[in-house]
Amino acid sequence: MPAIPFELKPPAESQPGWKSGEILDQPSIFAEGRPDLIQCFDPATGRSLGQVPATTVEQLNDKLKRARQAQKSWALTTFEQRRQVLRTLNEFVLKHQREICQVACRDSGKTLIDATLGEVLTTNAKLQWTIKNGENALKDDSRDPGFMMMYKRAKVIYQPRGVVAALVSWNYPFHNTVGPVISALFSGNAIVVKASEHVAWSMAYWEQMVKRALNVCGHDPELVQFVTGFADIGSALTMSPLVDHITFIGSPEVGKLVMKSASANLTPVTLELGGKDCAIVFADADMSQCIPVLMRGVIQNASQNCIGIERILVQEGAYDKFVAEMERRIKAVRLGAVLDDGDAGVDCGAMVLSNCFGRLESLIADAVSKGARCLVGGHPYVHPRHPCGQYFEPTLLVDVTPDMDIT
């Protein structure tokens, strides 16, 4: 069954050069005097993107019930019908990839290359893999019952769970949101997605995209529901008896809370948490190839990356030369707002969360007090063109030892 083309107009705010929103002096997701609203803004400029209503618990429960009703017929669809929906979504992503990147850039402050690599290519790869391999992964699978049970037969049969939930992080608003939707739909489930309140503005566009793909293929768009809100709505979702499985992408601290909430109903949980990834460089490495790859791994998405390189361990014989070259390159990194400044003059975008700046400075200060050297950066950056943007200087900290808090 072929893909069915459809069109969806991206929000006007995603266009390069858009400047209709007011600049917020102290950007915050909290709307003053309105706990029922989420204040949205571009982290790269501090420019307001408007306000989004926070989903209430009553609205959440209604969405869960509507998703469950839609899932009853969806569970009876064939794999080929499900593939058609994914093909339709994939064709839209490929055709409108620049618009998708611009929406992600506006909501999270990243660069277009970061959005291309981390939003579009990753989503496209998952769509194509699922289209090609999903049915084989979910087919019935026989098992050897063993000698003691040789008079029996054993088989694994995969069945839809019903309504699943995904609570996803802010660093890749498109990929993190649509990724769980792909798996949920192909396995015959409905899904309710709770995106981070820090990227609530773009959620309406992603939701419309998925629902249009379902609709043009003749299926109930109520199968996919998006909710926005603060911690209270996340707790209500993870504690709901109407949820049959939970996927969470975020920090280990919040992951523990999700597991605790889910335990009330023994709801199965899948967690994707942060790491402390390191690269190891030996003295015989080809530095002309090694260093550019490490730089991409470090500055990709302003280091807000679950698999980003956070530490580099260098063999002693190459250490001094390696540090000197990294210092030169990191000093040259240009910060900016790609949709305002142009892609050619920006290497690294903004930070989604400004409330982490104090923590970053504290970790750097602790390391320096214990013998580390901060060769580049180490502080928040006031951008000359975007003073209300959320930037942190690209930072190079060397001679770090295990006793420092940053490790």
Side-chain angles (χ1 to χ4, degrees):
M1 299 175 73
I4 300 176
F6 69 92
E7 294 297 324
L8 180 64
K9 187 176 181 180
E13 296 90 338
S14 66
Q15 298 303 310
W18 173 84
K19 295 182 179 179
S20 296
E22 66 171 317
I23 297 292
L24 305 176
D25 290 334
Q26 295 181 316
S28 170
I29 60 172
F30 301 104
E32 187 175 356
R34 293 296 304 272
D36 59 323
L37 296 176
I38 301 171
Q39 174 65 58
C40 304
F41 61 92
D42 180 351
T45 62
R47 193 177 297 278
S48 172
L49 298 173
Q51 297 175 334
V52 173
T55 304
T56 66
V57 174
E58 292 76 16
Q59 290 170 334
L60 169 64
N61 290 332
D62 180 62
K63 288 174 178 286
L64 285 166
K65 292 174 183 177
R66 282 188 278 151
R68 185 166 296 281
Q69 184 62 34
Q71 191 270 338
K72 292 177 181 178
S73 57
W74 179 252
L76 302 177
T77 56
T78 65
F79 284 123
E80 184 56 28
Q81 287 175 302
R82 298 172 193 176
R83 270 192 290 268
Q84 184 185 38
V85 173
L86 297 193
R87 289 191 188 108
T88 296
L89 184 59
N90 188 51
E91 287 301 311
F92 180 88
V93 171
L94 290 175
K95 183 178 179 181
H96 299 278
Q97 54 187 283
R98 187 169 184 87
E99 292 100 315
I100 291 170
C101 287
Q102 288 175 178
V103 173
C105 289
R106 184 65 78 191
D107 207 12
S108 62
K110 58 169 55 71
T111 66
L112 284 171
I113 186 64
D114 290 343
T116 300
L117 294 174
E119 306 277 14
V120 170
L121 289 181
T122 48
T123 303
N124 172 254
K126 182 164 185 176
L127 281 164
Q128 293 202 26
W129 187 94
T130 306
I131 291 167
K132 182 179 180 180
N133 302 292
E135 182 175 358
N136 187 60
L138 295 175
K139 71 180 181 180
D140 295 353
D141 191 9
S142 297
R143 291 286 190 272
D144 183 353
F147 177 76
M148 296 299 293
M149 302 289 282
M150 61 182 175
Y151 57 91
K152 291 183 177 289
R153 294 180 180 178
K155 180 184 286 188
V156 176
I157 300 175
Y158 294 96
Q159 297 178 332
R161 287 187 175 273
V163 178
V164 300
L167 295 88
V168 298
S169 58
W170 40 262
N171 53 342
Y172 291 101
F174 179 61
H175 170 252
N176 288 352
T177 300
V178 176
V181 172
I182 296 168
S183 298
L185 292 181
F186 196 80
S187 54
N189 295 297
I191 185 169
V192 176
V193 181
K194 195 277 180 189
S196 169
E197 55 270 30
H198 293 280
V199 287
W201 173 76
S202 60
M203 291 305 112
Y205 183 58
W206 316 140
E207 182 178 24
Q208 291 173 41
M209 186 189 305
V210 175
K211 290 196 170 193
R212 286 291 298 277
L214 284 164
N215 185 259
V216 297
C217 292
H219 304 290
D220 191 346
E222 298 287 1
L223 196 63
V224 175
Q225 303 287 343
F226 281 34
V227 298
T228 56
F230 301 100
D232 59 332
I233 203 69
S235 297
L237 182 58
T238 55
M239 295 179 68
S240 174
L242 301 176
V243 173
D244 300 301
H245 183 275
I246 298 168
T247 295
F248 172 75
I249 303 173
S251 69
E253 293 77 17
V254 179
K256 293 176 182 178
L257 297 176
V258 170
M259 289 187 70
K260 184 177 180 180
S261 294
S263 67
N265 297 298
L266 295 179
T267 306
V269 177
T270 298
L271 304 176
E272 180 190 331
L273 308 178
K276 197 69 175 176
D277 305 289
C278 73
I280 302 175
V281 180
F282 291 101
D284 62 350
D286 183 344
M287 296 300 171
S288 67
Q289 295 186 24
C290 175
I291 291 181
V293 171
L294 292 175
M295 284 294 296
R296 167 48 52 189
V298 168
I299 70 168
Q300 166 73 21
N301 206 31
S303 298
Q304 303 163 119
N305 203 13
C306 60
I307 57 171
I309 297 171
E310 299 187 23
R311 299 176 294 168
I312 303 176
L313 309 179
V314 185
Q315 193 171 5
E316 188 174 5
Y319 187 81
D320 291 340
K321 186 176 180 180
F322 179 88
V323 167
E325 179 60 16
M326 288 295 287
E327 180 180 7
R328 183 187 71 82
R329 289 174 180 255
I330 291 176
K331 283 181 177 178
V333 172
R334 299 164 297 177
L335 303 178
V338 66
L339 296 182
D340 289 62
D341 303 333
D343 196 32
V346 178
D347 302 311
C348 184
M351 304 284 283
V352 175
L353 306 181
S354 63
N355 59 6
C356 69
F357 288 178
R359 171 67 172 160
L360 293 176
E361 288 186 288
S362 174
L363 290 171
I364 294 167
D366 171 80
V368 170
S369 71
K370 295 174 180 176
R373 293 180 292 144
C374 185
L375 301 183
V376 184
H379 303 285
Y381 175 69
V382 179
H383 199 287
R385 291 187 299 277
H386 313 293
C388 293
Q390 299 179 166
Y391 298 93
F392 198 89
E393 296 172 339
T395 300
L396 177 60
L397 197 62
V398 303
D399 301 344
V400 175
T401 54
D403 62 310
M404 300 172 184
D405 293 343
I406 200 167
T407 62

